[in-house]
Amino acid sequence: MWKKREVRILKGNIISSRSRTELEICENSYLVCEDGKAEGIYRTLPFRLGGYPIRDFGDCLIIPGLVDLHTHAPQYSFRGTAMDLELLDWLEVHTFPEEIKYGDMEYAGKAYEIFAERMQKSAVTRACIFATIHRPATMMLMDLMEKSGLVTMVGKVNMDRNAPEGLCEGTEDSLAETEAWLKEAAGRRYVNTTPILTPRFVPSCTDRLMEGLGELQKKYSLPVQSHLSENPEETAWVKELCPWSEFYGDAYDHFGLFGRECPTIMAHCVYSGEEEIRRMKENGVFIAHCPESNMNVSSGIAPVKQYLDEGLQVGLGSDVAAGSTENLFAAMAHAVRASKIRWRIQDDRRKPLTMEEVFYMATRGGGAFFGKVGSFEPGYEFDAVVLDDSRLSGPREMNARDRLERVIYLGDEREVRAKYVRGKELFF
Amino acid sequence: MWKKREVRILKGNIISSRSRTELEICENSYLVCEDGKAEGIYRTLPFRLGGYPIRDFGDCLIIPGLVDLHTHAPQYSFRGTAMDLELLDWLEVHTFPEEIKYGDMEYAGKAYEIFAERMQKSAVTRACIFATIHRPATMMLMDLMEKSGLVTMVGKVNMDRNAPEGLCEGTEDSLAETEAWLKEAAGRRYVNTTPILTPRFVPSCTDRLMEGLGELQKKYSLPVQSHLSENPEETAWVKELCPWSEFYGDAYDHFGLFGRECPTIMAHCVYSGEEEIRRMKENGVFIAHCPESNMNVSSGIAPVKQYLDEGLQVGLGSDVAAGSTENLFAAMAHAVRASKIRWRIQDDRRKPLTMEEVFYMATRGGGAFFGKVGSFEPGYEFDAVVLDDSRLSGPREMNARDRLERVIYLGDEREVRAKYVRGKELFF
């Protein structure tokens, strides 16, 4: 049966990432979306596309939607506060007490609505999100994210050790709840929202829990997200907890939760050694680089340039609330700054990250975890953000590249004039 | 003759810096201003203040106006761009070509109007500002800053070497223009705007020029601002240019431009050695810490904790356009983050800066350069900013201290609900 093509045409200054080091800039051009996929970019619209309505965004910039590979929805409620401690103390003093509250659906509802609304208004179109251990609140978050129009992977968190009462599950309970959650989520028939297995991190998960999660992964073919080698104390602790592991990441790999069997995101990787790096590369693990978080909880600065040089998969994460904001432009600017400081005071063998590289990570780099996402190359899923940067403009004529850089340093949701996800416009 | 007292009473959650390590928080209290000076803070208004109108800001936060000790007005036009180079190349490639344009009054007018407007809308009430070498444009900037209602010190820049044509003055011309500028400024009878001597930095100023500026300083009793020990290459260059100097700062001190004879601000001080630090302390030099700039142009991270521990005078600077924004809240958050990274990867003998310390630097620390400024203690000049942080609020009850921290990480001009400078409300 013949189906009418659904065609959208946007006009503006189109910028995307051609490669890690190169932008593709098409000023004053037409961006065509067909049936939810990018079809092409044209200076002059070809004859066969005549007759379709054109949405002319004038001098706006049009970029691929940004991808947040790592954030914690329940922590949004205390973002921008509690910046006084290192990771493990920060978890115990600030984070776990907050996450316990998500056993209360009224609190969770208020908090998650704000999170979903702010994510919707941002330039992010895709995100991988930690919830808490609580199944009902996680389902509520998934409902809200589905309603937001963003494409997200959301994880009910698993924790069965080293957690306070109210946030520590029994091992079998944790597995049973996870399976119940997966069935409930499947029953919702979401279009844009999928579950992702989410063992919090090795210190919170016994070997038996990890083993069970590995089995669930196989049974349901699930992607996985967790934390890796974020902080020196944490990394040393994992060595104690899993003396049998070759390195931190091996404690996931051992249970089939480290990329080999399933698409996997590991957040941070500040202290990954050569072996761990090699394993991540072999297994195709995605690294979520979270530069603001790594500064705020005094973790350090990840060797991202090295990861890129060695061809690993790297995206960016806001890591709210160790990161203060869902604004992924800020994450890009932080990534550049952090890499400059790393070059200056830690290791000058690798040059700082460029604007082109952080834009690549925030679009194609993270987008690859979702498939063909993060680019306007034909066949890519059509996520686009239209940016009106007139609030930032001045007396100086500026080319599209410099305007994009300015948005990276200074832009936020105020610049988002329109947003498209999988070809559909979001209204908010 | 008896003059009627002018009394203002604001109500809200009043936060100021009691000391470097301690906040003074008076929730739901009255802040009284009398004849442009802070008079007191009261839980219950005393009888003698009855009858004066009260401006009730409900649940808003009220803080002292912020002080930006170092920024470049002509660079505002390219803020958030050109973040690809280290200091000296950045000056040559990006900054000097932009500053040359301020020979054109039409361009300067457009650019400076935007700068003045954005400064007015920000939470900053006091600033020390670099203009360019151009006298007419500098006068125009001073007119605009006066109109803004902020209290500012503005400097016509001096440069007579190592600058491109169009930005390099003859030595005697530079001195004559400076004196003409001082006379012109005096003729304007500004209330809030004063000139500050501004040799750009040692590489741009010959010894003869410095000598002449030292004479002008004495003749007109002027304060001084410049740059110091920002970048390793720059610091090495100064050693070559002034082989007679004991250290970089000595090349200012030699000419009476380093705090001993006059209030002096030196921006950056990332690479100050022990001798330079001692001299700054002896001379009462103010350090303008510019953390974002120091990251953006890959300079490094200044040992601010040490400066505070040793009792030096330290304030914060946005350093636009090596810093991307006039938003001094962002500078505070950058200062905390940078200090954490310094602690983690460079020198763990000094702990990271706290929120209390960066707030101190942004208010009292920098305020001291302007006299009794940056506090609500009785007798201090009354600069106050009222912050409505409802945009940032969530499901969680938060005390005033945590709300202030959240504004530091996430706030900008949108949170500024009202602003008072020397007791007068600004309207914008």
Side-chain angles (χ1 to χ4, degrees):
Chain A
M1 219 177 78
W2 186 81
K3 187 173 163 278
K4 196 170 173 293
R5 293 184 309 164
E6 212 178 295
V7 174
R8 262 182 200 291
I9 305 175
L10 314 185
K11 195 176 176 204
N13 300 303
I14 302 157
I15 313 183
S16 58
S17 207
R18 184 177 293 156
S19 69
R20 172 188 155 190
T21 54
E22 246 186 319
L23 297 177
E24 163 123 28
I25 301 179
C26 305
E27 300 201 20
N28 204 18
S29 296
Y30 299 90
L31 174 62
V32 178
C33 164
E34 193 180 318
D35 295 332
K37 302 242 158 59
E39 193 269 347
I41 297 173
Y42 305 93
R43 284 291 294 173
T44 318
L45 215 51
F47 182 73
R48 69 190 158 79
L49 290 170
Y52 289 103
I54 294 165
R55 183 95 185 267
D56 189 343
F57 286 105
D59 200 33
C60 286
L61 306 176
I62 306 178
I63 62 170
L66 305 183
V67 181
D68 187 345
L69 273 195
H70 183 69
T71 190
H72 294 260
Q75 298 174 22
Y76 197 77
S77 48
F78 71 98
R79 73 197 188 288
T81 70
M83 297 300 197
D84 57 334
L85 297 172
E86 268 192 81
L87 177 66
L88 298 179
D89 293 332
W90 177 82
L91 286 170
E92 191 178 324
V93 175
H94 299 300
T95 308
F96 291 162
E98 181 67 17
E99 291 198 8
I100 287 173
K101 297 183 193 167
Y102 289 77
D104 171 1
M105 288 293 276
E106 197 187 319
Y107 188 86
K110 279 188 211 165
Y112 282 156
E113 260 187 38
I114 295 173
F115 173 77
E117 188 205 323
R118 297 298 301 259
M119 290 296 281
Q120 193 184 43
K121 286 185 174 161
S122 77
V124 167
T125 53
R126 311 251 169 172
C128 295
I129 305 172
F130 281 55
T132 60
I133 61 161
H134 310 94
R135 178 158 59 93
T138 303
M139 284 313 306
M140 180 195 271
L141 175 61
M142 293 180 86
D143 290 349
L144 287 164
M145 293 317 300
E146 178 74 9
K147 215 173 111 193
S148 78
L150 268 60
V151 179
T152 60
M153 300 190 198
V154 178
K156 177 213 152 335
V157 170
N158 299 97
M159 303 167 75
D160 73 339
R161 67 173 166 189
N162 298 314
E165 211 190 304
L167 211 62
C168 198
E169 307 168 294
T171 306
E172 297 311 319
D173 275 0
S174 181
L175 293 168
E177 278 293 286
T178 302
E179 193 153 15
W181 161 63
L182 293 169
K183 286 179 177 158
E184 206 175 335
R188 290 287 216 282
R189 302 187 184 286
Y190 296 125
V191 175
N192 289 326
T193 315
T194 47
I196 180 168
L197 268 190
T198 306
R200 181 172 211 119
F201 67 156
V202 171
S204 303
C205 303
T206 60
D207 291 0
R208 168 65 202 122
L209 177 58
M210 289 290 202
E211 198 185 333
L213 291 173
E215 285 157 16
L216 283 176
Q217 188 287 316
K218 272 193 203 70
K219 187 167 166 189
Y220 294 93
S221 293
L222 296 162
V224 171
Q225 62 182 353
S226 194
H227 298 93
L228 182 67
S229 301
E230 177 175 1
N231 168 291
E233 209 183 329
E234 168 222 21
T235 306
W237 194 16
V238 170
K239 202 166 263 180
E240 278 174 39
L241 290 166
C242 302
W244 50 264
S245 66
E246 295 173 43
F247 47 84
Y248 192 159
D250 186 50
Y252 296 110
D253 205 14
H254 184 77
F255 301 107
L257 300 166
F258 201 64
R260 199 190 304 271
E261 289 83 1
C262 49
T264 297
I265 299 170
M266 287 287 151
H268 307 303
C269 307
V270 178
Y271 294 97
S272 297
E274 288 308 318
E275 277 184 297
E276 187 163 278
I277 294 171
R278 201 177 322 122
R279 188 79 61 85
M280 288 195 285
K281 187 173 177 176
E282 282 167 17
N283 289 12
V285 166
F286 279 72
I287 295 168
H289 176 45
C290 306
E292 195 206 347
S293 162
N294 297 157
M295 294 191 273
N296 286 338
V297 290
S298 300
S299 299
I301 302 174
V304 182
K305 193 82 168 189
Q306 181 188 352
Y307 296 156
L308 291 170
D309 285 346
E310 299 194 7
L312 276 77
Q313 309 260 24
V314 191
L316 282 180
S318 64
D319 195 22
V320 166
S324 66
T325 177
E326 77 286 358
N327 178 2
L328 218 67
F329 294 124
M332 289 188 236
H334 284 304
V336 172
R337 278 189 288 259
S339 73
K340 286 172 174 170
I341 289 300
R342 191 177 208 283
W343 169 80
R344 169 64 75 196
I345 65 185
Q346 187 170 12
D347 180 359
D348 66 2
R349 290 170 303 173
R350 310 266 176 183
K351 291 225 166 106
L353 294 170
T354 62
M355 177 274 234
E356 284 75 10
E357 286 172 320
V358 296
F359 184 65
Y360 169 85
M361 290 194 279
T363 54
R364 294 183 84 123
F369 192 73
F370 287 85
K372 292 184 89 169
V373 169
S375 164
F376 294 135
E377 279 175 27
Y380 271 66
E381 295 189 46
F382 190 86
D383 289 9
V385 174
V386 181
L387 301 167
D388 176 352
D389 62 344
S390 49
R391 178 179 71 92
L392 308 173
S393 70
R396 186 165 141 146
E397 286 287 314
M398 235 176 242
N399 64 31
R401 186 236 170 249
D402 290 351
R403 287 170 58 194
L404 176 62
E405 185 176 18
R406 190 172 56 186
V407 170
I408 288 172
Y409 280 87
L410 296 167
D412 57 41
E413 71 280 4
R414 285 172 286 181
E415 276 62 51
V416 177
R417 173 141 158 219
K419 189 165 158 176
Y420 298 83
V421 180
R422 287 181 167 163
K424 286 212 178 80
E425 183 166 6
L426 304 194
F427 295 96
F428 44 88
Chain B
M1 219 178 78
W2 185 83
K3 188 174 162 274
K4 196 173 173 290
R5 294 185 309 164
E6 212 178 293
V7 174
R8 260 181 203 291
I9 305 175
L10 314 185
K11 195 175 176 204
N13 301 303
I14 303 157
I15 313 182
S16 59
S17 207
R18 183 176 294 156
S19 69
R20 171 187 155 190
T21 54
E22 246 187 319
L23 297 178
E24 163 123 26
I25 301 179
C26 304
E27 301 201 19
N28 203 19
S29 297
Y30 300 90
L31 174 63
V32 178
C33 165
E34 193 180 317
D35 295 332
K37 301 243 159 56
E39 193 270 346
I41 297 173
Y42 305 93
R43 283 290 293 173
T44 317
L45 215 50
F47 183 73
R48 71 190 157 80
L49 290 169
Y52 289 103
I54 293 165
R55 183 94 186 266
D56 189 343
F57 287 107
D59 200 34
C60 286
L61 306 175
I62 306 179
I63 63 170
L66 306 183
V67 181
D68 188 345
L69 273 195
H70 184 69
T71 189
H72 293 261
Q75 297 174 21
Y76 198 76
S77 49
F78 72 97
R79 75 197 188 287
T81 70
M83 297 300 196
D84 56 335
L85 297 172
E86 268 192 83
L87 177 66
L88 298 178
D89 292 332
W90 176 83
L91 286 170
E92 190 178 325
V93 175
H94 299 300
T95 308
F96 291 162
E98 181 68 15
E99 290 197 9
I100 287 172
K101 296 183 193 167
Y102 289 77
D104 171 0
M105 287 293 276
E106 196 188 320
Y107 188 85
K110 278 188 213 166
Y112 282 156
E113 261 189 37
I114 295 174
F115 173 77
E117 187 206 323
R118 296 299 301 260
M119 290 297 280
Q120 192 185 41
K121 287 186 174 160
S122 77
V124 167
T125 54
R126 310 252 169 172
C128 296
I129 305 172
F130 280 55
T132 60
I133 60 161
H134 311 93
R135 176 158 60 94
T138 302
M139 284 313 306
M140 180 195 271
L141 175 61
M142 294 180 85
D143 290 348
L144 287 164
M145 292 317 300
E146 178 74 9
K147 215 174 110 193
S148 77
L150 269 59
V151 178
T152 59
M153 299 189 197
V154 178
K156 176 212 152 334
V157 170
N158 299 95
M159 303 168 74
D160 75 337
R161 68 172 165 190
N162 298 313
E165 212 190 303
L167 210 62
C168 198
E169 307 168 294
T171 305
E172 298 309 320
D173 275 0
S174 181
L175 294 168
E177 278 293 285
T178 302
E179 192 152 16
W181 161 64
L182 292 169
K183 286 178 178 161
E184 206 175 334
R188 290 288 216 279
R189 304 187 182 284
Y190 296 125
V191 175
N192 290 325
T193 316
T194 47
I196 180 167
L197 268 190
T198 306
R200 181 173 211 117
F201 67 157
V202 172
S204 303
C205 303
T206 60
D207 292 359
R208 169 64 203 123
L209 177 58
M210 290 290 202
E211 199 184 333
L213 291 174
E215 287 157 15
L216 283 176
Q217 188 287 316
K218 272 194 203 67
K219 187 167 167 189
Y220 294 93
S221 294
L222 296 162
V224 171
Q225 60 182 354
S226 195
H227 298 92
L228 182 66
S229 300
E230 176 175 1
N231 167 291
E233 210 184 329
E234 169 221 21
T235 307
W237 194 18
V238 170
K239 202 166 265 180
E240 276 174 41
L241 290 166
C242 301
W244 50 264
S245 65
E246 296 172 44
F247 46 85
Y248 192 158
D250 186 51
Y252 296 109
D253 205 15
H254 184 79
F255 300 107
L257 300 167
F258 201 64
R260 198 190 306 271
E261 289 82 2
C262 50
T264 298
I265 300 169
M266 287 287 151
H268 307 304
C269 306
V270 178
Y271 295 97
S272 296
E274 288 309 317
E275 277 185 297
E276 187 164 278
I277 293 171
R278 200 177 323 124
R279 188 78 62 85
M280 287 196 285
K281 187 173 177 176
E282 283 166 16
N283 289 12
V285 166
F286 279 72
I287 295 167
H289 175 46
C290 307
E292 195 205 347
S293 162
N294 297 157
M295 294 192 271
N296 285 339
V297 290
S298 300
S299 297
I301 302 173
V304 182
K305 192 81 170 192
Q306 180 188 353
Y307 297 155
L308 291 170
D309 285 346
E310 299 195 6
L312 276 77
Q313 309 260 24
V314 191
L316 282 181
S318 64
D319 195 22
V320 166
S324 65
T325 176
E326 76 286 358
N327 177 4
L328 218 67
F329 294 124
M332 289 188 234
H334 283 305
V336 173
R337 278 190 288 259
S339 73
K340 286 172 175 171
I341 289 300
R342 192 176 207 284
W343 169 81
R344 169 63 75 195
I345 63 185
Q346 187 170 11
D347 181 358
D348 65 4
R349 290 170 304 172
R350 310 265 177 184
K351 291 225 165 108
L353 295 171
T354 62
M355 177 276 233
E356 284 75 9
E357 286 172 320
V358 296
F359 183 65
Y360 169 85
M361 290 194 278
T363 55
R364 293 183 86 121
F369 193 73
F370 288 84
K372 293 185 89 168
V373 169
S375 165
F376 295 135
E377 279 175 27
Y380 271 66
E381 295 190 46
F382 191 86
D383 289 9
V385 174
V386 181
L387 300 167
D388 175 353
D389 61 345
S390 49
R391 179 179 70 92
L392 307 174
S393 68
R396 187 165 140 145
E397 287 287 314
M398 236 175 241
N399 63 30
R401 186 233 169 253
D402 290 351
R403 288 170 58 195
L404 175 62
E405 186 176 18
R406 190 172 56 187
V407 170
I408 289 172
Y409 280 86
L410 296 166
D412 57 40
E413 71 280 4
R414 285 173 286 182
E415 277 62 52
V416 178
R417 174 142 157 217
K419 190 165 158 176
Y420 298 83
V421 180
R422 287 180 166 163
K424 284 214 179 77
E425 183 166 7
L426 304 194
F427 295 96
F428 44 87

